Amino acid sequence: MAERQEQAAPDAVLTRIGQVVMLHHAGDREEARRRLLDLWTELGEDGDPLQRCTLAHYLADTQDDPSDELAWDLRALTEAEGAGGAVGVRALYPALHLNLAADYVKLERTEAARAHLRRARGAAGALRDDSYGDGVRAEIRRLEGWLGEEA
């Protein structure tokens, strides 16, 4: 029974994150940010790195200041690295680096943007041939065009 509860806990957290993301996409950025921060506090520093990565990734999207967005995206990458060989982590790297590249573009730090774009491109082989993978690859190409990068 305890094993079943341990397996259910990550799904429950990810479900809660998904519900808040829907709130954000519906237009309530402030409330989404508040709820995600509450969940971040609830998980704590010793929380599951994959869950913390996911939270930081979505918290970045709720930020108004590009520097704050960058800070959360950097946390997401750090947490992904802390997750080690967890299932699915490799597929997160293209999007994490893509987000960092976009953050650096907003902050007019072109060389840093290009470095993360190259990392996103290099990690894209871990993406599946599905709508998520197609979307990330399309965003990589879009940012390549914006930065004048060749694939």
Side-chain angles (χ1 to χ4, degrees), residues 90 93-94 97 115-126 140 144:
R90 284 186 51 220
Y93 284 110
H97 285 293
H116 280 283
L117 180 58
R118 285 190 293 274
R119 291 181 185 133
R121 190 183 313 124
I140 289 172
E144 286 171 343

Side-chain angles (χ1 to χ4, degrees), residues 31-74:
E31 181 64 15
R33 180 173 37 233
R34 187 191 64 74
R35 289 185 189 189
L36 289 171
L37 284 169
D38 288 348
L39 190 49
W40 180 263
T41 301
E42 183 181 318
L43 284 178
E45 290 181 24
D46 296 326
D48 177 80
L50 189 55
Q51 292 173 355
R52 286 173 51 92
C53 171
T54 304
L55 263 173
H57 170 74
Y58 287 115
L59 267 161
D61 293 341
T62 67
Q63 302 306 305
D64 297 321
D65 183 304
S67 295
D68 293 337
E69 185 175 0
L70 172 63
W72 281 108
D73 278 330
L74 287 168

